[in-house]
Amino acid sequence: MVTNRYVYYLIAINALISIIIYVPRILLQHRFDGAWTSILLAVLISYLLIRWFTTLLASFTRQGFPEMMKQHLPKWLNVFVQLVMIGLWFFAGGITLLSFVDITLRYISPDVPAFMVMIGYLIVVCWACTLNPASILFGLEILLVLNCPIVAFFIIRAITSPMFDWDAVLQTFTFSLQWPSFQAVAAATFLFTGYINLVVFNRVFEKFHMRGYLLISLSGLLILLLTMIVPIGMHGSMGVSTYVYPWFSLADSIRVDMFLVERLVFVFYLVYISLFLISTIVHWHVAQSLARGLIRFPAAARGSKYLPFGVVVVFAVACMWMLKFNQEGLIRAGEIFLEIRLVAEFSFVLLIFYMYRKEKKK
């Protein structure tokens, strides 16, 4: 049975992915001009968004956004909102895959063609994201239980390393009273945004009820602080800006004597390959579920059972085309996506509030 604890897993996977792609790069770019205040503001904003969204959603038992919008919105607005949501969730998964292909080519297999690496990942993702949502949540739970202790060990190993420089961290803290940046706030709030996957996954919860909002906020604050502190302490307050993926560069610099694998970058890569894939599976499962709500077949039609596979094939083709992005274009696309996502997240909370009021009037 799917219980309420799986909501925390959806938030946790987004938090773990966020410390690798775009979020640390953006925050570290603003380390001297508002990153620390942006983190505090992002935690407050995310606390309010999560509380409002999940409290209102509890009134719609076993309903996803498509069912709710069909009841309470005009048809044209329903179609428009679903198209926007499909685009956002597809791009969230696609940008994650593209980033990990880039990481694989940089740190593990520089001689392998990018399209071969992408095809290998797409085979796994396209198959898994067509499974039923409960199976995906069960798989997510297993991967988090297995991998979280290793990630925690890695962070502790980095902080206790003799190369860690606390003076560099304290130097950036002297700029902590700078005005927050919208780009940095958008990046920091992405860490909490896993709850928004409930627009589809709410269908599998028997009786949805969420608690521990303060604990989620404090945990997120700790992860955001570590996202900044660990790379600055290892790379220096100035040198940290020269890295595209500061956490993987950090992993490449850590050694563990007398361990099975001396270079931790290989262990870190194996851990994160599973987390990246399950994150993309979650995002694309939401996107293809929303797409299926727009493309309607009669229940007895032959094409109905092939529709999920057809949708993810379209996603895969689009993702292969996105390989044409160079590194600068990929980074810029990720930054724009994070900003648009924050605005969309506010809009979804307002939308569910509107549907909640309509439901109460009925």
Side-chain angles (χ1 to χ4, degrees), residues 31-32 36 167-176 232 237:
R31 63 196 181 282
F32 296 127
W36 302 109
D167 289 337
V169 178
L170 294 174
Q171 182 185 2
T172 61
F173 268 124
T174 60
F175 297 87
S176 59
I232 291 172
S237 60

Side-chain angles (χ1 to χ4, degrees), residues 190-325:
F190 184 66
L191 182 139
F192 298 91
T193 203
Y195 75 93
I196 210 76
N197 290 307
L198 288 168
V199 297
V200 164
F201 282 100
N202 188 51
R203 295 167 176 167
V204 299
F205 288 92
E206 294 290 339
K207 189 177 180 182
F208 176 71
H209 181 66
M210 190 171 175
R211 298 174 180 169
Y213 297 102
L214 184 60
L215 180 61
I216 292 171
S217 300
L218 293 176
S219 301
L221 175 61
L222 176 62
I223 294 173
L224 284 169
L225 292 176
L226 290 173
T227 299
M228 290 277 290
I229 289 171
V230 177
I232 291 172
M234 291 295 290
H235 299 310
S237 60
M238 300 303 294
V240 73
S241 62
T242 61
Y243 297 96
V244 179
Y245 302 104
W247 276 80
F248 264 91
S249 299
L250 188 155
D252 201 22
S253 64
I254 294 179
R255 302 287 188 274
V256 178
D257 296 332
M258 306 300 292
F259 194 59
L260 294 175
V261 181
E262 183 184 0
R263 292 180 64 192
L264 276 187
V265 67
F266 296 112
V267 179
F268 197 65
Y269 176 82
L270 290 174
V271 167
Y272 263 92
I273 192 172
S274 62
L275 296 179
F276 268 90
L277 289 176
I278 192 64
S279 173
T280 306
I281 288 165
V282 168
H283 287 136
W284 279 14
H285 174 79
V286 174
Q288 66 93 10
S289 297
L290 294 167
R292 285 165 57 191
L294 287 179
I295 308 170
R296 300 192 179 277
F297 279 100
R302 252 175 140 189
S304 61
K305 69 177 181 179
Y306 298 111
L307 180 59
F309 183 72
V311 171
V312 296
V313 167
V314 173
F315 290 169
V317 171
C319 211
M320 291 295 292
W321 177 82
M322 288 166 66
L323 280 173
K324 294 165 61 175
F325 286 6

